[in-house]
Amino acid sequence: MIDLLDPTNVITRMFSAGKYEEMYNYCKNLLEKIPNDMIALQNIALSLIHLKKYEEAIMYCDKVLEIKNSDTYALKNKIYALENLKEYEQVLELCKLILSTNPNDIWALNSMGLSLNELNRHPDALECYDASLRIDPNDVTALMNKAISLSHLQNYKDAIEFYDKAQNIDSTLKEIPLAKSRLFEKLGMDDDAFLAAQGVLNKDMQKIKNDAKENGFSVFHQFCENEFQDYNSK
């Protein structure tokens, strides 16, 4: 039987309901009774992050880290808060700390890459994303951010390929079609840019272009014709 009054369950219900202010006050009351209550310290930091009180959240993360200096949950919450404060050099140091105990922590690798991107250290960021993708080739965050780094380095063709890989894995990512389209435009590939903006995957573009040529259509006309035929076949 679940104890509904257990602090962990109470906090979970508040968090799930998005009641971050109540969660904060509840955890503060727990700390008045037990100042080193780890559950309260961790979750008060979490509530403050959701309330966008990042400096205060860091203070509570540090209280946890005083008790356990390698606490991954507190380190990741602190990293998230520091990212929002644009303290990217500090983020790098904390990511290194996590990776020193777990070199395969994909979250830390990706966070490190993001901060390196923000610091315009794109070749270093690529190393982080490559490390993530060696662990999980289908990690969408690493694929997307590698594409961003490659774009900054003006390696547009490879960037498009990594956006496309991410799109193959998760077609719901609405930012990918526009990002791919802009890169095709930079390459002077207007037909591909149009098709990318419609959400067409790279592997499907050539057939549309070939059909357009065979039918004497523009790519735009051929795409519309295909859409019309698909609609009528349903």
Side-chain angles (χ1 to χ4, degrees):
M1 184 175 177
I2 297 174
D3 182 358
L4 295 177
L5 297 179
D6 179 89
T8 301
N9 294 327
V10 173
I11 291 168
T12 299
R13 289 199 303 275
M14 289 178 179
F15 181 79
S16 298
K19 297 179 178 179
Y20 306 121
E21 196 74 52
E22 288 183 32
M23 182 174 157
Y24 169 81
N25 291 327
Y26 180 80
C27 290
K28 284 284 283 185
N29 288 333
L30 290 178
L31 290 174
E32 288 177 6
K33 299 172 185 175
I34 308 174
N36 290 333
D37 186 319
M38 288 287 276
I39 291 174
L41 288 170
Q42 295 278 28
N43 285 287
I44 200 169
L46 182 62
S47 66
L48 287 164
I49 285 171
H50 283 276
L51 292 168
K52 299 185 179 182
K53 297 180 180 180
Y54 302 116
E55 290 95 343
E56 197 175 346
I58 288 170
M59 182 181 73
Y60 282 96
C61 290
D62 284 341
K63 289 180 183 292
V64 174
L65 294 168
E66 286 172 11
I67 300 168
K68 185 181 177 184
N69 63 7
S70 61
D71 188 277
T72 302
Y73 187 74
L75 286 170
K76 290 185 176 180
N77 276 335
K78 186 173 180 178
I79 286 169
Y80 185 83
L82 287 167
E83 285 173 340
N84 280 278
L85 294 171
K86 304 186 186 305
E87 297 288 350
Y88 301 117
E89 292 288 357
Q90 290 186 56
V91 170
L92 294 180
E93 293 305 312
L94 294 181
C95 287
K96 288 175 185 176
L97 184 57
I98 294 173
L99 293 168
S100 69
T101 57
N102 180 11
N104 293 329
D105 190 311
I106 289 177
W107 189 94
L109 286 167
N110 287 335
S111 291
M112 192 170 186
L114 281 167
S115 286
L116 289 165
N117 274 350
E118 293 291 342
L119 293 167
N120 292 318
R121 294 169 56 184
H122 304 298
D124 294 332
L126 287 174
E127 291 182 14
C128 294
Y129 302 134
D130 285 340
S132 292
L133 293 169
R134 282 194 292 273
I135 299 163
D136 180 4
N138 293 323
D139 183 71
V140 172
T141 300
L143 290 168
M144 292 274 288
N145 288 315
K146 183 169 182 178
I148 292 169
S149 290
L150 289 165
S151 298
H152 282 295
L153 294 169
Q154 298 185 348
N155 189 344
Y156 302 133
K157 286 185 178 179
D158 286 347
I160 288 167
E161 289 302 318
F162 280 96
Y163 274 129
D164 194 67
K165 287 179 182 178
Q167 189 178 12
N168 265 287
I169 295 166
D170 187 353
S171 61
T172 67
L173 293 167
K174 298 185 183 300
E175 61 267 43
I176 292 180
L178 185 56
K180 280 172 58 181
S181 180
R182 286 172 176 164
L183 294 180
F184 276 122
E185 285 179 354
K186 289 179 182 291
L187 293 169
M189 302 169 69
D190 293 339
D191 286 339
D192 298 78
F194 165 73
L195 293 172
Q198 313 314 310
V200 178
L201 294 168
N202 290 2
K203 65 182 177 63
D204 298 323
M205 289 183 182
Q206 194 57 51
K207 184 179 186 309
I208 295 171
K209 290 190 289 184
N210 288 343
D211 289 346
K213 186 175 181 180
E214 184 178 325
N215 295 327
F217 293 164
S218 67
V219 168
F220 171 79
H221 187 175
Q222 185 65 54
F223 177 81
C224 293
E225 179 69 17
N226 291 355
E227 289 288 290
F228 180 72
Q229 290 178 6
D230 288 343
Y231 177 81
N232 283 339
S233 65
K234 291 178 182 177

